Amino acid sequence: MYLRYYTSKLFLLFTALFCLLVSCKKHLNLTPQASLSDADFWKSANDMALACNYFYTYLPGIDNNTAANWSDDGFSNSGGPNVISNGSRQAPTTSGDWSGPYKLIFNCNHLLEKAVDVPDDETLVNRYRAEARFFRAWAYYELVKKFGDVPLILRTFDVNDTLTQAHRTHKETVLDTAYADIEFAVHHLPTAAELPVAEYGRITKGAALALKARIGLFAGTRNKFHGEGNAEKHLNACIDACTAIMQDGAYGLFTYDKNVDSSYYYLFQYAGEGNANKENILVRLYGENMDNSIVSHNYPANLGSGNGTTPTRALMDAYLYQDGLPADKSPYYKEQENSLTEFEHRDPRMGMTVFNKNVWYLTSLDQPTFTFAATGYKSRKYFIIDDFINKKSFIDNIVIRYAEVLLMYAEAKYELEGSISDEDLNRSINLIRARVNMPNLTNDFVTNHQLDMREEIRRERRIELAFEGEHRYWDLIRWKIAETELPKAIRGSKYFPQEQTGINNPNLDANGFVIVEAASKRNFNPERDYLWALPVQDIGLDKNLYQNPNW
C-alpha cells in the first residue's frame, strides 16, 4: 500500500470517517463524542491499514525543524523571541502537547480493541497491531519527555469510567509499557528489506528499534544527570537497539554518487528521497510535485524569509576545523576579516548547513544580510531554490536516520561505561565523519589535545543533527545543562558593515558579534523548566492530576 497516496489522497476521505468513528476527547477526562457505528468497518487487515494511516499524521512535519529555536542553535525573524528558549512561558490553559498525544493514544487503543475480532490473516492483523503499538509508544515517549509522570491509558473508556479521573503514573512504568509496545512491534513489523517499494514510509522493524534507542538514550541520560532512577537499564536498551540496527545491514549512510563529497548536503535535497536512500529509517511523506500537488509545505520559503529558523553564533562556534580541533586549539583559526573567514578550513558540514558567500542562493552567490535573517545567517538544510520560488515544496521530512543511530550508540556506550573504545568510535562516529572527510575521533587524539571525549561525542551529535527537529533542546534538558546554556545571550554573526545589509546601529558585544537577544532577557529556572507545565484546564477537570513543580 503506497502510504504517500493514502495519507494524502484517499485518506483525506477516510480520515473524516475514522475521526468520527474514534473521535477523541479534547481533554483527557472528557468523553469521546457520539460516534458513527463502526460495525461495518474492521472487516479485514486492509481496514486496519487504512485506520493506521491516521497515525502517520502525528509524525513530525517538516516545520518541526524550527524547534531549533527552542534551543541555543536557532532564532526566528517572526514572532519575536521564543518563549521556550528564553524561559518566559507560562502554564497554558490548554495544550496540544498534552491533548495531541492522548488523542493518538485513544485511537491506537481503539484499533487494538477492534483488531481482536478482525477475521483475516493473523500475520497481517498483527502487523497493523504493531503499527498501533509503535505509535502508542511514540505518544507516551513524547508525553514523558515533556511532563514526566503522566496517566497511563491502555484502553478506551466512556463518561462513567474511572479513567475520566486518571492518576499520573510513574514515568518508569510508562516507559516500560512503551518498551513492551516496541517489542511487539519489532516482532511483527516487516524489515526494511521486506517492505515493498510501494509501501515506502510505513513503519518497519528498524523504525521501532530506532524509537527504542531514542527512548533508552533520553531516559538513561536524564536519569543519570538528574539523579532520577536507573540509568543503566535504559542505556543498555539503547545500545541493544542500536546494535540490532547496525547488524541488520539494511541501513547505511547516504552517498550521492554525482557529488560524493557533498552527500551530506544532498541528503536533504530531493536526491536524498525514496527507498533507495538507506539512511532514512523513518520519514514524514509529502507529495508529489507541482503537476500533482497533493500535500505540500512552504518550509524552503520560510527559511529564505527567516521566518523558520536562522543559525546562531553558538552553533557556528561548535563546528570544528578540518584538523578536528576547535577554534581555541586549531592552528587554522584566525580572526575574522570578513563574513567568509569563519567558513575557511572548517568541518564541511558548516558550509552545507549554513549559507555563505561561496554558495549559490537564488540568482547569484549568497550575500550576507540581516534583512531576512535575525542572526545574519540562513540555514541551507532543506532549502531548495525552485521550491522557494514556487512557494511550495514536496521534500519529505526525515524523522529518524541511520546517522542518529550511530550517534546514539556512541553516546550510550560512553555514558554506560565511562569510556568508549576506538573500535566503537570507528563503527559509529567515524563513519559519519568519513562522509565529510573529517579526521577520526580517537582516544589518543582526545588525550593528546586535551579534549573531553564526552564533549566531542556531544559536539558531533549537535553538528550532524542541526536543524532536524527538537534534538538540541532535549539534549540540553537530558544532560542538565539547559540551566547553563539557555540563559546566555543569543548572538549572530560578526558585523561587517561594508558587506552586510539589513541592519542599522546593531547591538554588538565586545567582539563585534550582533546580540539578537540579550542575556538579561533570558532565563532558565532549573527548579521548574526541566519539566513542562500541565494544561491548567485539565488539572481543573481532574482532581487526580497535579501541576509540575513551580509552575
Side-chain angles (χ1 to χ4, degrees):
M1 183 174 302
Y2 192 28
L3 183 62
R4 188 192 304 272
Y5 176 80
Y6 277 109
T7 54
S8 55
K9 271 194 169 179
L10 174 60
F11 198 58
L12 290 177
L13 300 175
F14 180 77
T15 298
L17 170 63
F18 187 66
C19 288
L20 285 171
L21 289 174
V22 292
S23 179
C24 273
K25 308 165 294 304
K26 184 177 180 181
H27 305 289
L28 178 60
N29 59 338
L30 296 183
T31 310
Q33 300 172 7
S35 62
L36 296 175
S37 171
D38 54 2
D40 293 327
F41 198 67
W42 309 110
K43 297 297 185 183
S44 68
N46 185 63
D47 290 343
M48 295 180 67
L50 289 172
C52 283
N53 286 345
Y54 172 70
F55 305 151
Y56 288 84
T57 65
Y58 284 87
L59 289 177
I62 198 163
D63 286 336
N64 183 250
N65 296 324
T66 63
N69 301 335
W70 298 359
S71 73
D72 54 348
D73 276 0
F75 194 91
S76 174
N77 269 13
S78 66
N82 187 276
V83 297
I84 297 175
S85 177
N86 70 15
S88 64
R89 59 186 164 151
Q90 302 295 316
T93 302
T94 61
S95 172
D97 292 301
W98 176 267
S99 61
Y102 277 112
K103 177 187 279 188
L104 175 56
I105 289 163
F106 181 90
N107 285 294
C108 290
N109 290 341
H110 184 89
L111 182 144
L112 291 169
E113 290 171 0
K114 292 298 180 181
V116 175
D117 298 319
V118 173
D120 208 333
D121 178 77
E122 185 178 7
T123 299
L124 283 174
V125 170
N126 281 337
R127 175 186 175 180
Y128 299 115
R129 280 179 173 149
E131 287 197 9
R133 293 188 70 169
F134 170 92
F135 279 103
R136 187 168 68 178
W138 179 284
Y140 274 120
Y141 171 51
E142 291 300 310
L143 287 165
V144 167
K145 275 196 309 185
K146 295 179 175 74
F147 304 106
D149 301 345
V150 297
L152 180 62
I153 310 295
L154 300 176
R155 59 178 174 81
T156 57
F157 58 92
D158 60 27
V159 69
N160 298 312
D161 200 300
T162 57
L163 285 179
T164 61
Q165 296 289 304
H167 293 75
R168 294 176 72 171
T169 305
H170 194 282
K171 67 174 184 176
E172 292 294 329
T173 301
V174 178
L175 292 181
D176 284 344
T177 303
Y179 283 141
D181 278 346
I182 291 171
E183 287 306 311
F184 182 91
V186 168
H187 185 68
H188 293 287
L189 288 170
T191 65
E194 295 167 340
L195 191 72
V197 173
E199 294 189 13
Y200 174 69
R202 294 206 84 97
I203 303 299
T204 63
K205 175 180 178 179
L209 286 168
L211 176 59
K212 180 181 178 180
R214 273 191 178 180
I215 295 173
L217 185 64
F218 179 86
T221 50
R222 168 129 195 169
N223 284 356
K224 178 175 182 175
F225 295 110
H226 291 254
E228 292 181 349
N230 187 340
E232 291 78 8
K233 176 185 79 172
H234 295 292
L235 292 172
N236 275 315
C238 175
I239 292 168
D240 290 346
C242 290
T243 300
I245 295 171
M246 293 159 68
Q247 292 177 345
D248 180 80
Y251 302 102
L253 297 179
F254 172 72
T255 299
Y256 185 55
D257 292 337
K258 295 180 180 179
N259 191 342
V260 174
D261 288 345
S262 296
S263 294
Y264 180 78
Y265 167 75
Y266 285 103
L267 175 61
F268 307 99
Q269 301 287 301
Y270 287 112
E273 284 202 334
N275 66 308
N277 179 0
K278 302 305 181 184
E279 182 161 355
N280 292 345
I281 297 175
L282 181 61
V283 297
R284 171 70 181 265
L285 297 176
Y286 292 89
E288 295 256 321
N289 52 50
M290 290 298 291
D291 295 327
N292 189 24
S293 182
I294 302 170
V295 177
S296 63
H297 56 81
N298 205 23
Y299 190 71
N302 288 336
L303 287 180
S305 66
N307 292 330
T309 185
T310 62
T312 64
R313 173 87 257 131
L315 174 64
M316 300 294 280
D317 286 342
Y319 285 94
L320 297 169
Y321 282 81
Q322 65 187 39
D323 55 7
L325 294 172
D328 61 346
K329 295 181 181 294
S330 176
Y332 284 115
Y333 171 78
K334 64 179 180 179
E335 290 293 328
Q336 282 190 246
E337 300 169 352
N338 53 55
S339 66
L340 194 58
T341 305
E342 64 180 318
F343 289 89
E344 296 173 356
H345 306 294
R346 298 296 281 273
D347 182 329
R349 286 171 293 186
M350 185 178 189
M352 297 182 203
T353 304
V354 183
F355 275 100
N356 61 75
K357 293 176 70 173
N358 282 339
V359 174
W360 196 264
Y361 184 50
L362 293 176
T363 59
S364 63
L365 293 175
D366 181 63
Q367 294 299 313
T369 178
F370 291 87
T371 302
F372 299 112
T375 62
Y377 300 112
K378 293 192 293 291
S379 175
R380 291 187 74 194
K381 260 186 186 177
Y382 292 112
F383 184 86
I384 300 166
I385 293 175
D386 288 344
D387 291 356
F388 173 86
I389 294 170
N390 292 326
K391 300 296 185 286
K392 186 174 288 188
S393 180
F394 307 94
I395 188 77
D396 296 337
N397 185 46
I398 304 171
V399 179
I400 306 177
R401 58 188 179 93
Y402 187 60
E404 182 189 346
V405 172
L406 300 180
L407 290 164
M408 290 191 290
Y409 176 82
E411 184 182 348
K413 290 285 285 188
Y414 180 85
E415 295 301 345
L416 181 67
E417 301 172 4
S419 63
I420 184 171
S421 68
D422 286 349
E423 179 183 5
D424 278 329
L425 288 169
N426 287 339
R427 63 195 299 237
S428 57
I429 283 177
N430 288 333
L431 294 177
I432 298 171
R433 286 190 168 199
R435 173 162 60 183
V436 291
N437 299 310
M438 284 291 288
N440 282 351
L441 178 64
T442 67
N443 282 279
D444 282 348
F445 185 86
V446 167
T447 299
N448 293 339
H449 293 93
Q450 295 80 53
L451 300 174
D452 181 276
M453 182 63 79
R454 173 183 285 154
E455 292 305 312
E456 293 312 305
I457 290 172
R458 290 180 176 183
R459 182 201 304 273
E460 194 68 26
R461 177 179 174 87
R462 182 180 190 178
I463 294 309
E464 177 70 18
L465 301 178
F467 305 114
E468 296 180 49
E470 304 168 8
H471 292 294
R472 175 62 178 171
Y473 173 78
W474 292 114
D475 290 347
L476 295 174
I477 294 296
R478 63 190 178 88
W479 295 332
K480 206 176 185 298
I481 60 173
E483 61 201 74
T484 301
E485 301 303 319
L486 290 183
K488 295 177 180 177
I490 295 292
R491 298 180 301 151
S493 70
K494 194 164 188 176
Y495 181 50
F496 296 99
Q498 69 275 15
E499 60 173 305
Q500 293 167 318
T501 61
I503 191 170
N504 295 313
N505 300 316
N507 182 19
L508 305 178
D509 70 7
N511 296 311
F513 293 100
V514 173
I515 298 175
V516 182
E517 187 178 17
S520 60
K521 297 182 179 179
R522 297 178 59 79
N523 179 56
F524 185 92
N525 181 355
E527 304 303 318
R528 182 194 72 174
D529 293 333
Y530 280 112
L531 289 174
W532 290 23
L534 275 66
V536 173
Q537 181 169 306
D538 287 80
I539 294 174
L541 291 168
D542 184 348
K543 64 181 180 180
N544 292 318
L545 290 182
Y546 54 88
Q547 188 58 277
N548 278 325
N550 299 309
W551 281 100

